[in-house]
Amino acid sequence: LMHSKIILFGHGNSLHICNFLVDLHLKNEFVESAFQIFRNMSVRDSATWVAMISGLSQTGHEVEAINLYSEMRRLGAFPTPYVFSSVISACSKMNLYDPGEQLHASILKWGFSSDIYVCNSLSTLYTRSGRLSFAEKIFIEMQCKDEVTYNALISGFSMQGLFLKSFQIFQEMQSLFLKPSVVTIATLLGSCASTGAVCKGLQLHSYAVKAGMCSDVIVEGSLLDLYVKCHDIESARKFFLETGSDNVVLWNVMLVAYGQMGDLSESFNVFSQMKISGFHPNQYTYPSILRTCTYLGLLFQGQQVHAQVVKAGFDSNVYVCSVLIDMYAKLGKLGTALRIFRCYNEDDVVSWTAMIAGYAQHEMFTEALKLFVELQGRRIKLDKIVLASAISACAGIQGLELGSQIHGHSTVHGFSSDISIGNALVSLYARCALVKEAYSAFEKLHEKDHVSWNGLISGFGQSGKCEEALKVFSQMIHFGEEADVFTYGSSISAAANTTNSKLGKKIHARTLKTGYDSEVEVCNALITFYAKCGWIDDGRRVFINMAIKNEVSWNAMITGYSQHGYGHRAVELFEEMKVSSKVSPNHITYVGILTACSHVGMTEEGMRYFTSMSEHHGLLPTEEHYACVVDILGRSGQLHRARSFLESMPMEPSPMAWRALLSACTLHKNLEIGEFAAKHLIELEPKDSAAYVLMSNLYSLTSKRDEARRLMRDRGVKKEPGQSWIEVKNSVHAFFVGDRMHPLAGEIYEYLEDLNMKVIAIGYRKDSGSYDEEEEEVGKRKNAAVHSEKLAVSFGLVSLARIIPLLVIKNLRVCRDCHDWIRLVTKVEDRSIVVRDTYRFHHFQDGMCSCKDYW
């Protein structure tokens, strides 16, 4: 109305009035009208340009302000300090630091470097860009400083984490009786919170009270955040109640506080009180309580909050949805997470990261990588978290090629020094058994944490480089690094796979000292370790002493009993698990119990357990379970029933099932069904030497004795030579069939001859037709074909004290002749001998074996 009257009275071209109108329109955010007046002015002065440029900069039109300054310079208009101040402020807001630095040069040229407004703007520019030395230089050279000057520098140093420096400037400001702004106090409080400087925070709280700032919303939120982050929940609660709780931000901070403490009940209490007090939860309220549900693994409560999110209309909010996706993904409800993810705008990298990380966490590595490839097809900037998650997924499937590509991508985008990506690369190369590359990635980490060490140890262990994994563990302890539950679990597993009982027991002792012996994961690894090393009773002691047992614990003990031939103990434990444990049997449990039944001839019991899988527990049998049943029937001599069962399987029989049938035919010398099984097995695995060896053993009583060996030669298949190991005085000694390379070979063979005479005297007769898996074509000298386990046993008896039991490990199945020989040796020598072959453990004592000659 005023503008129209000005035009009506003929003052529309007045320079002074037009400058006033430009300023008025911009302050009321009528940008188009301001530009129209500006363009229609026939004459402009410095005040005109100042009004336009400063107005645009202050109303969020920074780009237009910078462009207008460029136009001003092209038209030859002289800039003023106010123009420079406004343009530099615009550059700061837009993070355009290079143009701002160029303006600094112009300021020096025009002689405005001492102007307080210009200096304040330059100081803000340099502090925001992180170039604090330039900001401090400007500050020192300023002849006149005001509150804005100090506030800018304090905020700059605080944002860069230089808390002590910012506090020194604050104290200097106080000494000059200059009043800091509420933003400055809030910034300093934020620095105290992030560094845990609660004493400095209390000083600032006192100052805020004296200065009358405590009622300011920003300061209130910062004070409460200080107490929360410094874990002073009592002070936080007290301050929260004193403020009157009339700010939704404070309610959200309290939710975060109780969430960090893991106190979900108090979080829900605050949430309820908030609604009772008339405050409506916002987009930050729901994520706070959802994160607490995620942290505590409380899916049901999280679903309740989700229902309220939908009711409140926040189910389409990007931030809320990303937290919901993260919750469902981490808690294993990946289908629900994916539905939420697909139902809204998918351009949020946080949501993509949550989905990919969720898939990787639950070992759905292929799905994680498919999603990552889809993400790459969109124009979304990848962050370091999603790249680290993708590399971890590659590690899970040993996807070296794609992992290397992501490695290159992360390097190109400046993430090469990020520890999360570095740790993921260590795990990738270690799991792919690339020792040199894994160590290289490890050494490139500027700061190594327990995740870095664990990546090497677990990665090497999972890729079969168990000796390397144990070497890394020893280095970690040597350098004084603190091991955690994952370190001990991975190291014990590596010791189990190498049957390094000495080092495994040392690690067990260390867990006792550090208190990790009570961790379920460590105990589970110890049970498996002792079972694999032949000390099943030690494994049972660990199992019995566990305060909490999960399905892995029960499975490890049942499988251990099965491997050691204690099938009846395995069955008893399985029944105890079903009755007294809250843990339900799973697929692995049934593999263990079916194998146990197979090893002790519990045929009908095994068949009942197989049926109960689906009838009582809703578990569909897999190929491995069917193979176990074939083995149960075959070992008991029910070969026709085993064949019928195998042919009636709902899926194509696996090589494992055919191998079980062929092995049973070899044991029971059934040529017809054996040839039938061998034909199918060789079709599926033509390069598997075990099939030809079993055939050779089957044909040993017929004219086809050499046919299997001829097939092996024709197809270029090489049989793994038999080898046995025994540990004596901290050294592992290996023997091959007919081996005479050992330094004590003469003494070993001499002792062996003596043993043969003793066992023959009590009924031993050599079974030359039972040499299941070792060749005898190593020479025609006397004793040249002595099997490796006989040599290992003889060496152990010569070298070890009588009170020490012998543990011999063999890479093939022990033959019947060696089994009978060792059984009788324990009787004549009054010694305990344990032999671990590829099938099971045999505990020999007093002329008996734990397998009862059924294996």
Side-chain angles (χ1 to χ4, degrees), residues 448-522:
K448 301 172 180 65
D449 57 13
H450 65 279
V451 178
S452 318
W453 290 95
N454 288 345
L456 273 183
I457 295 169
S458 65
F460 284 145
Q462 291 174 23
S463 64
K465 300 287 184 180
C466 295
E467 295 287 355
E468 205 68 40
L470 294 172
K471 177 182 173 183
V472 174
F473 174 76
S474 298
Q475 290 175 345
M476 183 179 182
I477 300 302
H478 175 74
F479 288 123
E481 297 291 336
E482 185 176 350
D484 61 12
V485 61
F486 301 106
T487 315
Y488 287 117
S490 300
S491 302
I492 293 167
S493 296
N497 290 330
T498 59
T499 62
N500 190 331
S501 57
K502 183 179 180 181
L503 181 55
K505 288 179 179 180
K506 284 185 177 179
I507 300 173
H508 187 183
R510 183 172 283 275
T511 66
L512 292 169
K513 291 179 181 178
T514 56
Y516 283 105
D517 61 309
S518 61
E519 294 287 346
V520 176
E521 292 81 1
V522 173

Side-chain angles (χ1 to χ4, degrees), residues 319-352:
Y319 179 50
V320 175
C321 283
S322 67
V323 178
L324 278 170
I325 291 167
D326 182 65
M327 181 189 76
Y328 283 117
K330 284 182 177 175
L331 298 183
K333 290 293 182 180
L334 290 157
T336 305
L338 188 62
R339 281 194 295 275
I340 298 171
F341 175 73
R342 295 298 187 191
C343 282
Y344 85 105
N345 188 350
E346 300 172 6
D347 291 337
D348 174 37
V349 71
V350 177
S351 302
W352 284 90

Side-chain angles (χ1 to χ4, degrees), residues 14 40 44 74 157 193 195 226 251 266 290 326 329 346 359 410 486 504 603 617 645 673 701 731:
S14 169
N40 290 334
R44 304 184 187 104
R74 284 197 305 272
F157 278 107
T195 58
L226 166 74
W251 288 93
E266 196 60 39
L290 284 168
D326 182 65
E346 300 172 6
Y359 278 133
S410 63
F486 301 106
T603 306
H617 297 286
F645 178 85
I673 298 178
L701 300 178
S731 296

Side-chain angles (χ1 to χ4, degrees), residues 195-235:
T195 58
V198 66
C199 292
K200 292 288 185 184
L202 289 171
Q203 293 176 22
L204 287 168
H205 191 171
S206 299
Y207 177 84
V209 171
K210 293 176 182 177
M213 294 182 177
C214 275
S215 60
D216 184 87
V217 174
I218 299 174
V219 174
E220 279 184 346
S222 298
L223 282 168
L224 188 59
D225 185 60
L226 166 74
Y227 293 122
V228 167
K229 287 184 177 177
C230 291
H231 307 291
D232 188 353
I233 193 67
E234 290 302 320
S235 296

Side-chain angles (χ1 to χ4, degrees), residues 110-270:
W110 287 91
F112 297 139
S113 59
S114 60
D115 184 88
I116 189 170
Y117 297 108
V118 173
C119 289
N120 287 344
S121 298
L122 284 171
S123 181
T124 301
L125 174 77
Y126 286 122
T127 54
R128 287 192 178 184
S129 65
R131 305 178 72 176
L132 297 178
S133 58
F134 285 87
E136 191 171 20
K137 183 180 179 183
I138 292 170
F139 177 80
I140 292 170
E141 292 177 352
M142 288 178 67
Q143 296 177 355
C144 182
K145 304 179 182 74
D146 60 7
E147 288 91 344
V148 177
T149 314
Y150 281 93
N151 288 333
L153 205 61
I154 292 169
S155 298
F157 278 107
S158 295
M159 286 189 292
Q160 295 300 320
L162 299 173
F163 168 66
L164 293 177
K165 185 71 176 178
S166 61
F167 210 86
Q168 288 173 2
I169 299 171
F170 169 70
Q171 290 175 327
E172 181 183 332
M173 184 180 187
Q174 285 184 291
S175 67
L176 296 173
F177 301 102
L178 295 175
K179 185 178 180 180
S181 66
V182 292
V183 175
T184 300
I185 297 299
T187 303
L188 287 169
L189 286 168
S191 296
C192 293
S194 60
T195 58
V198 66
C199 292
K200 292 288 185 184
L202 289 171
Q203 293 176 22
L204 287 168
H205 191 171
S206 299
Y207 177 84
V209 171
K210 293 176 182 177
M213 294 182 177
C214 275
S215 60
D216 184 87
V217 174
I218 299 174
V219 174
E220 279 184 346
S222 298
L223 282 168
L224 188 59
D225 185 60
L226 166 74
Y227 293 122
V228 167
K229 287 184 177 177
C230 291
H231 307 291
D232 188 353
I233 193 67
E234 290 302 320
S235 296
R237 184 178 181 82
K238 181 181 178 182
F239 179 77
F240 175 71
L241 295 173
E242 288 175 352
T243 60
S245 310
D246 57 352
N247 181 358
V248 70
V249 174
L250 302 186
W251 288 93
N252 290 341
V253 173
M254 286 305 297
L255 283 173
V256 171
Y258 286 113
Q260 289 175 345
M261 293 175 59
D263 191 343
L264 186 63
S265 61
E266 196 60 39
S267 290
F268 270 108
N269 183 40
V270 171

Side-chain angles (χ1 to χ4, degrees), residues 789 793 814 818-826 833 835 844:
E789 58 265 50
V793 167
V814 63
C818 289
H819 185 275
D820 291 342
W821 183 86
I822 298 170
R823 180 172 55 79
L824 294 173
V825 165
T826 62
I833 301 174
V835 176
F844 298 95

Side-chain angles (χ1 to χ4, degrees), residues 371-600:
L371 205 60
F372 178 74
V373 171
E374 183 183 342
L375 172 61
Q376 285 184 302
R378 297 170 177 262
R379 294 184 177 180
I380 301 175
K381 186 178 180 181
L382 305 181
D383 62 15
K384 59 186 179 183
I385 302 174
V386 75
L387 289 169
S389 298
I391 295 171
S392 296
C394 290
I397 60 169
Q398 287 81 51
L400 181 61
E401 183 177 353
L402 180 57
S404 298
Q405 292 175 8
I406 301 172
H407 183 185
H409 184 91
S410 63
T411 302
V412 169
H413 286 78
F415 297 128
S416 58
S417 60
D418 181 74
I419 189 168
S420 59
I421 290 178
N423 287 339
L425 288 169
V426 168
S427 181
L428 170 68
Y429 292 127
R431 288 196 183 189
C432 292
L434 298 175
V435 177
K436 183 178 178 181
E437 289 79 358
Y439 277 123
S440 176
F442 181 76
E443 292 301 327
K444 287 178 181 177
L445 292 170
H446 298 301
E447 294 184 9
K448 301 172 180 65
D449 57 13
H450 65 279
V451 178
S452 318
W453 290 95
N454 288 345
L456 273 183
I457 295 169
S458 65
F460 284 145
Q462 291 174 23
S463 64
K465 300 287 184 180
C466 295
E467 295 287 355
E468 205 68 40
L470 294 172
K471 177 182 173 183
V472 174
F473 174 76
S474 298
Q475 290 175 345
M476 183 179 182
I477 300 302
H478 175 74
F479 288 123
E481 297 291 336
E482 185 176 350
D484 61 12
V485 61
F486 301 106
T487 315
Y488 287 117
S490 300
S491 302
I492 293 167
S493 296
N497 290 330
T498 59
T499 62
N500 190 331
S501 57
K502 183 179 180 181
L503 181 55
K505 288 179 179 180
K506 284 185 177 179
I507 300 173
H508 187 183
R510 183 172 283 275
T511 66
L512 292 169
K513 291 179 181 178
T514 56
Y516 283 105
D517 61 309
S518 61
E519 294 287 346
V520 176
E521 292 81 1
V522 173
C523 290
N524 292 343
L526 284 168
I527 294 168
T528 301
F529 161 73
Y530 283 117
K532 286 187 175 182
C533 289
W535 319 121
I536 189 65
D537 290 335
D538 291 328
R540 176 168 176 76
R541 275 191 286 273
V542 173
F543 178 79
I544 290 173
N545 291 328
M546 291 178 69
I548 300 173
K549 302 178 181 72
N550 60 15
E551 67 275 7
V552 179
S553 317
W554 291 91
N555 291 346
M557 201 64 230
I558 290 170
T559 302
Y561 276 143
S562 174
Q563 290 172 338
H564 284 262
Y566 298 126
H568 292 91
R569 291 190 192 177
V571 169
E572 289 172 4
L573 192 64
F574 178 67
E575 294 299 331
E576 181 186 338
M577 174 186 181
K578 291 194 296 182
V579 173
S580 61
S581 171
K582 296 180 181 180
V583 178
S584 298
N586 58 20
H587 286 89
I588 298 173
T589 317
Y590 272 100
V591 170
I593 200 63
L594 291 173
T595 304
C597 290
S598 173
H599 282 173
V600 295

